[in-house]
Amino acid sequence: MAVKFSDESLKKFEAIVARYPQKNAAMLPVLYLAQQEFGYISPEVMEYVSQIMDVPVARVLGVVTFYTMFNTKPIGRHHIQVCRTLPCALAGAERITGAIKEKLKIGLGETTPDGRFTLSEVECLASCGTAPMMQVNDDYYENLTEKNVGELLDRLK
Ligand code: FES
């Protein structure tokens, strides 16, 4: 098989699975671990996860395509995820996305040619009180404006 967890990830996998009464209940953290190790969830990774989790590939595919935190193709070093749900939408999320598109010259689902940024829209990230907001990799950026979002992106190398 082409893909396989490193020894370190295999230990993490075993620790994750041990925390759940049933193996398949650990699907989300195991997929997250796979994404950390392989960068994104390719068809080969889905097949590998289905084997180690003892579930059909279709179940893995269903989970991967349901959650926006899983990427099925390579992404940039910084994955920009702008929340588009109602509170953020009312606070100007569309203008934020527009400013990012204009600055980076990419559309939704696209990656800059230098591999630095990928832009996505996602649903509520549970930070509605500081709308509009976005997540870049594991960090939240809140109370965004068209001006400060550009400055934030300039700081991300
Ligand atoms: S609506 Fe954007 S974080 Fe909840």
Side-chain angles (χ1 to χ4, degrees):
M1 174 164 290
V3 296
K4 191 175 182 313
F5 274 145
S6 62
D7 290 346
E8 192 188 338
S9 290
L10 214 43
K11 276 190 203 133
K12 288 182 186 170
F13 165 74
E14 281 157 12
I16 290 167
V17 166
R19 291 203 301 264
Y20 293 84
Q22 290 176 334
K23 200 175 184 182
N24 69 14
M27 182 64 81
L28 288 177
V30 168
L31 280 169
Y32 192 72
L33 179 68
Q35 182 159 274
Q36 282 182 317
E37 166 120 21
F38 304 114
Y40 67 103
I41 311 290
S42 66
E44 293 76 21
V45 173
M46 286 186 221
E47 199 177 321
Y48 177 61
V49 170
S50 89
Q51 288 189 7
I52 59 174
M53 295 294 286
D54 301 318
V55 296
V57 181
R59 172 155 158 65
V60 180
L61 176 68
V63 175
V64 168
T65 52
F66 182 79
Y67 291 97
T68 54
M69 67 183 178
F70 297 122
N71 304 303
T72 54
K73 55 185 185 179
I75 57 162
R77 275 199 309 290
H78 303 289
H79 187 193
I80 303 165
Q81 298 160 85
V82 182
C83 173
R84 67 178 175 195
T85 306
L86 192 59
C88 282
L90 292 173
E94 208 172 311
R95 288 196 305 276
I96 301 302
T97 304
I100 297 170
K101 282 178 176 172
E102 195 170 309
K103 181 173 178 65
L104 300 180
K105 311 260 181 284
I106 55 172
L108 290 172
E110 293 178 356
T111 299
T112 52
D114 61 1
R116 197 166 147 214
F117 294 105
T118 297
L119 177 61
S120 304
E121 281 184 327
V122 296
E123 301 305 333
C124 183
L125 292 168
S127 189
C128 322
T130 53
M133 59 82 64
M134 66 181 180
Q135 181 174 355
V136 181
N137 296 347
D138 292 331
D139 297 320
Y140 276 15
Y141 296 87
E142 300 158 304
N143 298 308
L144 298 173
T145 64
E146 287 162 80
K147 183 171 183 294
N148 73 12
V149 77
E151 294 162 359
L152 287 168
L153 296 181
D154 285 338
R155 291 205 293 271
L156 299 173
K157 296 300 170 201

